[in-house]
């Protein structure tokens, strides 16, 4: 199984800051990674897929990059509504696996 | 508008069974693969199972293989998860999700249904 290791597990930043979340795969996943945002009590929401493609309706301050086994989700200018937990997910092979999550808090 | 509505959750004793349903609307259900994803209380997301549009490809997490069965009825725009031999560690919110066509990204999610396994 492909393990997805996300870091940091939590981050606290100010409005306007740039925030970067990293996900490392235990093997090459050929850019088959997605990122989700989940707010408390809500279902996850797809932000980015295939490493860097922004889902329709997602603000452009979100971006994804990476290749091979190392990938990042960047929030270019943190907004209050970005307070949430973020998860990566690989879709290179079954079983599909998620990272452990990164909780983003606003200072 | 894409809508996914899960139902069938509840409180069940260990060893019991439940059948979850996911009712889909707002898109051509028969064209899309679907996922079940669960989340234990206070924990992260865990993929459970996937089914292709015509049910010819089905996958399960090791943790549920042999106990859970995914199925769909395209005529009824519905997907199901039959869960048998339930364990305490199966407790959580179960989400159904529609995938992006041809991929395994969960693009649309339901609100989830809570499954609690406890004696």
């Amino acid at each position: 199984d492909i393990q997805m290791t996300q870091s940091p597990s939590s981050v606290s930043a100010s409005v306007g800051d740039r925030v970067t979340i990293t996900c490392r795969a235990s093997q090459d996943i050929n850019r088959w990674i997605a990122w989700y945002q989940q707010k408390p009590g809500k279902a996850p929401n797809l932000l980015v897929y295939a490493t860097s493609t922004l889902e329709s309706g997602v603000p452009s301050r979100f971006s994804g990059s990476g290749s091979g086994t190392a990938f990042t989700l960047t929030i270019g200018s943190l907004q209050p509504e970005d307070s949430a937990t973020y998860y990566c997910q690989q879709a290179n092979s079954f079983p599909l696996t998620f990272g452990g999550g990164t909780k983003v808090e606003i200072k | 508008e894409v809508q996914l509505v899960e139902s069938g959750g509840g409180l069940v004793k260990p060893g019991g069974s439940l059948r979850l349903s996911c009712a889909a609307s707002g898109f051509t259900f028969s064209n899309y693969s679907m996922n079940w994803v669960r989340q234990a209380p206070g924990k992260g997301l865990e993929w459970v199972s996937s089914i292709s549009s015509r049910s010819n490809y089905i996958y399960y997490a090791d943790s549920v293989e042999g106990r859970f069965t995914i199925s769909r009825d395209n005529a009824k725009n519905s997907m199901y998860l039959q869960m048998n031999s339930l364990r305490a560690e199966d407790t959580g919110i179960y989400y159904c999700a529609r995938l992006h066509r041809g991929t395994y990204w969960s693009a649309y999610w339901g609100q989830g249904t809570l499954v609690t396994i406890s004696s």
Side-chain angles (χ1 to χ4, degrees):
Chain A
D1 298 1
I2 297 175
Q3 310 303 317
M4 302 296 287
T5 303
Q6 228 177 297
S7 62
S9 56
S10 65
V11 58
S12 182
S14 300
V15 172
D17 283 354
R18 182 181 182 90
V19 173
T20 299
I21 300 167
T22 297
C23 206
R24 293 189 182 275
S26 59
Q27 63 189 71
D28 190 334
I29 57 171
N30 297 303
R31 297 176 59 84
W32 289 106
I33 187 170
W35 294 91
Y36 301 88
Q37 176 193 67
Q38 187 180 31
K39 297 184 178 181
K42 299 293 187 183
N45 181 44
L46 178 64
L47 297 176
V48 173
Y49 60 92
T51 297
S52 58
T53 302
L54 218 59
E55 175 70 341
S56 176
V58 173
S60 59
R61 62 181 179 274
F62 291 94
S63 63
S65 64
S67 64
T69 61
F71 300 88
T72 60
L73 174 72
T74 300
I75 307 173
S77 177
L78 191 66
Q79 299 302 302
E81 60 267 32
D82 300 335
S83 178
T85 300
Y86 295 82
Y87 295 93
C88 61
Q89 178 226 318
Q90 66 83 17
N92 183 71
S93 62
F94 284 95
L96 306 180
T97 45
F98 289 89
T102 295
K103 187 172 185 178
V104 175
E105 295 178 323
I106 309 295
K107 281 183 185 174
Chain B
E1 180 194 1
V2 173
Q3 283 202 320
L4 299 167
V5 180
E6 303 93 337
S7 61
L11 173 64
V12 174
K13 289 182 169 54
S17 298
L18 270 179
R19 188 193 195 210
L20 306 184
S21 298
C22 172
S25 61
F27 65 100
T28 304
F29 181 71
S30 59
N31 285 349
Y32 291 88
S33 297
M34 301 288 292
N35 269 353
W36 285 101
V37 176
R38 68 184 180 183
Q39 187 168 34
K43 301 297 184 182
L45 301 172
E46 181 188 14
W47 168 78
V48 173
S49 184
S50 299
I51 186 167
S52 62
S53 59
R54 298 179 191 274
S55 305
N56 46 337
Y57 294 101
I58 287 175
Y59 304 94
Y60 297 100
D62 287 347
S63 57
V64 307
E65 179 89 55
R67 300 187 299 123
F68 290 11
T69 302
I70 192 172
S71 63
R72 64 190 294 162
D73 185 336
N74 287 344
K76 294 183 177 180
N77 291 337
S78 294
M79 178 177 68
Y80 308 99
L81 188 67
Q82 177 66 44
M83 304 188 297
N84 299 330
S85 304
L86 284 161
R87 305 166 180 168
E89 53 266 34
D90 295 319
T91 293
I93 297 173
Y94 284 70
Y95 297 101
C96 71
R98 195 203 88 176
L99 307 186
H100 263 312
R101 210 161 172 180
T103 75
Y104 287 95
W105 321 120
S106 294
Y108 295 91
W109 298 65
Q111 84 289 349
T113 187
L114 178 62
V115 171
T116 305
I117 311 303
S118 175
S119 54

